[in-house]
Amino acid sequence: LGVHPLYWAKWNGTVVFSDDVNELFDRTKMPRTMRRDLLGEYFAQGWICEPDTIWEGVYKVPAGCELALEQGRSVVRRWWSVAAGARDDRTLRDRIRESVARAVQDEKTVCNWFSGGIDSSVLAAFVCDKRLKHLHMTLGDGESERVRRMEDKFGLDVERLKPDSSHIWHYPKLCRKMGEPIADPGIIAAYWLGQESVKRGCNAVLSGMGGDELDAGYPRNKIIVRLFNFGIVRALGTWPLQIAGWLMLRGVFLLTGKRKRDVKRLGSFLQHPDVAHYFNLFGYFTKEEIDVIVGRGWFERYRKKVADLTAELKGTKKFFGYEFKGFLASHNNIYGAQACKAAGVECRTPLLTPEIAQQLWGEIDSPRFAGKKRLTQVLAEELGDDFVKVKKSGFRFPVEEQLGEVDWDDVRVRLQDVVTADGLQLLDAFVRQARQ
């Protein structure tokens, strides 16, 4: 599933590979040259999707593939796909239980990152008899209530950690350690909790990473499922959506703040409801804004890449397939595996097995399952009367209150040779809005 990255390059007639970009550069002394043709993709998603990286000549082996060397040629071959393969009759609950048991065989050196969300709570329920240390980052949200209830029910050893603003200043150093840039403050939490795990004698951590991507748990997943199963869309095609998007963008001036941003993104997607515009539902910028920031040439290359990555899929599964290939293989392998590695701890992800993925994939685009209902049902069966619904918060780090402390003038100088002049003015405007 692409949980751990494998980078490779050709240098001086030799194929070199590593799970660490920095190590690969150190070993080969290759020049570190940024691919400016991929800047648009980076601004769209916050990462570069496989098989590319932001660095010239360095690639990621795609998830489910192998890199073969044949008579001096490098060939990438697919050996596994989530959309292919037979399944047996085991239940999802049984599959998860087996996967978790494998992940904690050496339980004395493993701890669980227990956010209180569905994924980490499923793991906590299945290891409740193992006497593991559970680390909970307290953010004052509803998910902490589930942690408290499960702590009482199972007698869990939960240690609560309170984030403070000093951890934010790990971010620049952490980005360099990871080798690839990634625009997600959640890596601060992963790095910090990794360090805290090591302090407590753990060399591995359990993470529920991947549950949202496997079981349609994001709000954007619900949007896709509901939009494309709407009766008028099935009957008439997507032109009613395009009209709705046009109207939303014309009326967005009536809104302010976060609501204006979200309506603007949704309207941009509805005008072009296809996978190449999917990033409008989760990215920081719309296509029109990225055109200003990097120039217009980026999108056609990006459109072709998305089409290639989803060519084997049909209908709304193209969106969910891109979710797998993007978020799991090119976002989370940096987010989870690399942030933990930088902290000196191994990240184990029991939900990310081929068997669990294939079971969930079959009906991932079904309206009755959108919103992570299958994993939620597994947790409800484990907790019984103690199960409560809580508002989803996600694995994150509270950075909003520290935005005003960032030295934007320094960032601006660094960006002058990277983005267009008009793009720099647009980013200036966004920073002003964020600080208001």
Side-chain angles (χ1 to χ4, degrees):
L1 283 177
V3 180
H4 295 278
L6 181 63
Y7 300 100
W8 70 282
K10 287 184 178 178
W11 181 247
N12 288 340
T14 302
V15 172
V16 292
F17 55 91
S18 175
D19 66 349
D20 186 320
V21 173
N22 292 315
E23 196 254 350
L24 190 149
F25 277 117
D26 289 344
R27 185 148 42 93
T28 62
K29 307 304 179 187
M30 290 172 58
R32 219 184 260 256
T33 306
M34 185 173 66
R35 286 189 60 176
R36 294 179 181 271
D37 61 320
L38 293 178
L39 278 175
E41 180 179 342
Y42 178 74
F43 277 104
Q45 300 175 158
W47 71 90
I48 302 299
C49 195
E50 58 175 29
D52 300 311
T53 72
I54 195 69
W55 307 115
E56 190 73 48
V58 179
Y59 302 93
K60 287 180 278 218
V61 177
C65 293
E66 62 188 9
L67 176 67
L69 304 180
E70 298 175 347
Q71 297 179 337
R73 297 185 306 117
S74 54
V75 180
V76 174
R77 296 191 298 228
R78 177 163 294 282
W79 61 270
W80 182 84
S81 168
V82 71
R87 303 202 315 263
D88 58 36
D89 295 328
R90 283 178 297 164
T91 67
L92 177 62
R93 192 177 178 186
D94 288 340
R95 290 181 191 278
I96 296 175
R97 189 183 299 280
E98 293 168 7
S99 181
V100 172
R102 288 194 298 269
V104 295
Q105 287 177 341
D106 50 344
E107 59 194 65
K108 294 189 187 310
T109 59
V110 180
C111 63
N112 181 41
W113 288 353
F114 191 11
S115 72
I118 295 295
D119 307 325
S120 70
S121 298
V122 167
L123 302 186
F126 282 145
V127 299
C128 63
D129 60 335
K130 300 295 186 183
R131 315 313 302 171
L132 301 188
K133 170 75 74 176
H134 298 265
L135 298 184
H136 174 62
M137 185 171 66
T138 56
L139 296 174
D141 52 38
E143 291 184 348
S144 294
E145 172 62 17
R146 180 178 284 143
V147 172
R148 186 191 65 76
R149 284 175 174 254
M150 291 182 64
E151 181 182 21
D152 292 343
K153 178 181 178 68
F154 296 118
L156 301 177
D157 178 11
V158 177
E159 184 174 349
R160 289 167 173 80
L161 301 172
K162 181 74 174 175
D164 65 74
S165 61
S166 66
H167 299 300
I168 289 176
W169 307 114
H170 288 310
Y171 195 63
K173 179 179 72 173
L174 180 56
C175 286
R176 287 191 291 271
K177 278 179 173 287
M178 297 175 87
E180 285 192 81
I182 180 168
D184 192 328
I187 65 173
I188 302 171
Y191 180 62
W192 172 51
L193 287 176
Q195 290 179 314
E196 295 298 322
S197 303
V198 171
K199 288 178 184 177
R200 286 152 183 79
C202 297
N203 58 20
V205 301
L206 295 185
S207 167
M209 185 173 80
D212 284 304
E213 293 85 2
L214 293 175
D215 201 21
Y218 291 114
R220 61 179 173 270
N221 301 148
K222 294 182 188 177
I223 290 172
I224 294 297
V225 168
R226 289 171 181 169
L227 283 179
F228 287 87
N229 282 283
F230 196 46
I232 192 171
V233 174
R234 285 188 164 182
L236 301 177
T238 60
W239 66 263
L241 301 181
Q242 294 170 301
I243 293 175
W246 186 87
L247 292 173
M248 290 173 76
L249 291 178
R250 295 308 176 275
V252 76
F253 71 93
L254 297 171
L255 305 173
T256 58
K258 209 169 183 180
R259 185 178 295 275
K260 179 176 182 178
R261 181 202 68 184
D262 292 343
V263 170
K264 190 175 179 182
R265 291 176 182 174
L266 179 58
S268 295
F269 172 74
L270 291 179
Q271 284 204 307
H272 307 278
D274 55 52
V275 188
H277 289 85
Y278 185 40
F279 69 86
N280 280 296
L281 296 184
F282 62 81
Y284 296 115
F285 305 103
T286 65
K287 175 187 177 297
E288 294 73 22
E289 290 163 348
I290 299 170
D291 285 346
V292 175
I293 294 170
V294 302
R296 293 179 178 274
W298 72 278
F299 187 71
E300 284 310 310
R301 185 192 184 285
Y302 176 71
R303 184 199 296 275
K304 183 180 184 307
K305 181 177 183 179
V306 171
D308 290 343
L309 288 173
T310 59
E312 64 177 332
L313 307 174
K314 298 185 182 301
T316 53
K317 281 194 173 176
K318 283 185 175 289
F319 293 97
F320 293 103
Y322 194 69
E323 194 92 67
F324 273 39
K325 303 205 179 208
F327 268 76
L328 291 184
S330 289
H331 174 268
N332 279 346
N333 73 15
I334 313 172
Y335 183 143
Q338 297 299 79
C340 284
K341 181 178 178 180
V345 68
E346 176 194 355
C347 183
R348 296 181 184 173
T349 51
L351 295 180
L352 294 183
T353 69
E355 296 81 14
I356 292 173
Q358 284 176 325
Q359 178 157 350
L360 292 172
W361 172 259
E363 296 183 275
I364 195 171
D365 55 349
S366 168
R368 65 195 177 104
F369 289 139
K372 212 148 84 170
K373 291 182 180 175
R374 290 173 289 185
L375 286 172
T376 301
Q377 182 59 35
V378 169
L379 181 61
E381 290 169 359
E382 288 296 313
L383 298 187
D385 293 340
D386 292 296
F387 174 77
V388 291
K389 288 187 176 181
V390 299
K391 185 177 180 182
K392 175 181 171 60
S393 298
F395 188 68
R396 59 193 177 89
F397 198 90
V399 299
E400 294 86 353
E401 61 270 26
Q402 276 77 41
L403 281 176
E405 300 178 30
V406 174
D407 185 354
W408 170 246
D409 289 337
D410 179 55
V411 177
R412 198 178 190 281
V413 170
R414 293 169 182 263
L415 286 175
Q416 282 179 342
D417 295 328
V418 178
V419 304
T420 67
D422 290 341
L424 201 53
Q425 290 183 355
L426 181 63
L427 292 173
D428 275 335
F430 287 150
V431 171
R432 286 196 301 273
Q433 291 170 17
R435 287 176 166 172
Q436 288 174 355

